[in-house]
Amino acid sequence: MNFVASRPIWEQLVAEFSRRIAVGQWRPGERVPSVRTLAVEFGVNPNTVQRALAELDRRGLMVAQGTAGRDVTRDENLITQILNDLAGDLVRGFVSKMRDLGITRERAQQMTDEQWQAEEGKYEPR
């Protein structure tokens, strides 16, 4: 993961961990990797990882198990909402950029459909 300097690393970790939960990389009820493991994976201070995980606890995406670690929430509705929020962010960015280019809605839809068809079979839909 390449961190951007304009945003705190712990916030970027929150986004990445949320994405992992939303796409099913970390499944409901599953134990997430330890703080130390994640710190090594991302090359950051364990305190930074701990801050990100604490934020996910606060948001309800993770459940702390005391000294035994953390589990992903079993709340499928919350996970679906996170996925929808992430997808909505992408759509808003896409629409904004297409408008900046002067692309019409109809042409953007056509281009999206063409690309979607070109990508068929590469990904499993959620």
Side-chain angles (χ1 to χ4, degrees):
M1 180 170 171
N2 295 321
F3 295 108
V4 295
S6 62
R7 191 169 165 213
I9 291 173
W10 71 271
E11 287 182 1
Q12 294 173 68
L13 290 174
V14 167
E16 173 59 17
F17 299 162
S18 297
R19 185 197 65 77
R20 288 181 180 193
I21 293 168
V23 302
Q25 189 174 348
W26 290 350
R27 304 185 79 63
E30 181 178 282
R31 177 74 29 103
V32 299
S34 71
V35 170
R36 290 186 194 279
T37 299
L38 291 169
V40 169
E41 178 182 344
F42 290 96
V44 299
N45 187 298
N47 291 333
T48 303
V49 172
Q50 179 59 40
R51 184 168 182 188
L53 294 174
E55 177 60 21
L56 291 171
D57 290 344
R58 189 189 70 74
R59 294 181 186 184
L61 283 171
M62 289 190 185
V63 179
Q65 301 298 333
T67 59
R70 285 181 170 80
D71 296 343
V72 174
T73 183
R74 293 183 185 276
D75 185 342
E76 301 258 356
N77 290 330
L78 180 58
I79 293 171
T80 298
Q81 183 60 52
I82 296 301
L83 179 63
N84 289 339
D85 290 348
L86 292 171
D89 290 345
L90 291 173
V91 169
R92 282 185 289 282
F94 171 78
V95 168
S96 177
K97 288 180 180 183
M98 293 301 269
R99 284 181 173 228
D100 287 349
L101 292 172
I103 304 294
T104 65
R105 177 182 182 169
E106 292 76 18
R107 179 65 181 129
Q109 286 176 329
Q110 178 187 17
M111 293 171 74
T112 301
D113 288 343
E114 290 168 359
Q115 185 62 37
W116 199 276
Q117 289 174 356
E119 298 281 326
E120 285 290 313
K122 289 185 181 180
Y123 308 99
E124 288 196 27
R126 282 191 48 91

